[in-house]
Amino acid sequence: MKIYLFVLSLPSSAAVAVKGIVCLAKQKSCRQRWNIRPSEMSINTLNPIRAIVDGMKLTPNPEKPMIALSIGDPTVFGNLPTDDKVLQAMKDAIDSNKYNGYAPSVGYQKSREVVANFYSCPEAPLEAEDVLLTSGCSQAIDLAITVLCNPGDNILVPCPGFSLYKTLAVSLGIQVKLYTLLPEKSWEIDLQHMESLIDDRTTCLIVNNPSNPCGSVYSKEHLQNILSGEPCSPPGHSCVLYLHDQVFPGCTYQSMASLSSDVPILACGGLAKRWLVPGWRLGWILIHDKNQIFGKEIRQGLVKLSQRILGACTIVQGAIESILNDTPQEFYHRTISFLESNSEICYSELSTVPGLTPVMPSGAMYLMVGIAMEHFPEFQNDVQFTERLVTEQSVFCLPATAFEYPNYFRIVVTVPEEMMVEACTRIREFCQRHYRTCSQDSNELDQ
């Protein structure tokens, strides 16, 4: 028998018992060899972004300050602070001394009501019971996938797409099937390809709108086509919709739940990007189930899964009413206008760079850029391309291989404007140095 010891911070009265266990463990270790192995779940857990970035040789040019366009955190450079009303809401929640204890695992009833009222609309009404508060949107996605799928099932995930979907699913023994997004159609879903992936073990379709990493925003018509297609037809493949809400002026965000007449939807969102506070770790699941297709079982399953940890941060829950209801519209407008302006700068500058094809986003904080690798023969792939971009120009863009979509890279457009302009200038210089036409390639081969 092997004894595995969890070391906890215990009161002194328990110290003798712990000491006894340790002594026993030491005695047994003399008689047998320990063979402690990591769990299958831990072995199967892999973050593709970390796996790729950690393997890259990133040595910036010492003569140029580093410009990181790879980090999906709007707070890094300090140019996008949250609103004063949001900060005051947190201060008030702390000063009240009402939110220092444990909350129900699904969140305070009042906080759930606030989120339900904020997102409710006549086409997709919500009540407090339809909302679960989570530790960031990441936990919301984790709960949504876990409650719908068993080991051996499969889910449909966008490609390129947020790498966390695969990280969570594979660790649980769930197969991931990647459906293609079309850059020439502003990253709309290839519906034919998506439908071809479905089998009798498909349990979940993930639709990311607006998209990370693409910044795309789907039209009402495209969302209706998704809902009317085979993935959403009976017996039903439940949708998990990751909400983002930041849409540029001139574009309209349409909730998938507001268009669905019968498809049950778990919509995941959070405070992180819209309110510019990713470290506060408050997210939510919105349960849209007009025809009670999920029934009590899925709701009960979500509650049980939420009990694995003791819920989202209580201080933020205490502040959520003021955050959602008192944040001025000017704050949203200012943030979105900045992101749109930086996206336009980036798109305009890189559109004229030989060998690059940027795709203009319609929302979010990301922009994808295609690389015509045949014109950059020094590099085998987007990872080597972006690696050398760091070495020569101290500009770090995330290779889209991290999103399983090679020969692209992702730019985060939250950096200050002057930094955005400087980064584009350096990317241009880099491409001009390494770009080769087909005739140049032939001449060099002949020589």
Side-chain angles (χ1 to χ4, degrees), residues 38 44 248:
N44 293 333
F248 297 159

Side-chain angles (χ1 to χ4, degrees), residues 36 87 97 196 309 329 392 428:
I36 302 174
L87 295 176
N97 275 320
S196 72
I309 66 171
Q329 288 299 315
E392 295 182 17
R428 178 184 296 276

Side-chain angles (χ1 to χ4, degrees), residues 69-109:
L69 304 179
S70 59
I71 306 171
D73 182 345
T75 71
V76 170
F77 296 95
N79 60 309
L80 288 175
T82 192
D83 190 77
D84 288 343
K85 292 277 189 181
V86 177
L87 295 176
Q88 190 60 49
M90 283 289 281
K91 294 172 185 176
D92 292 344
I94 293 171
D95 291 341
S96 74
N97 275 320
K98 294 179 180 179
Y99 306 106
N100 297 329
Y102 292 122
S105 64
V106 294
Y108 289 122
Q109 179 73 8

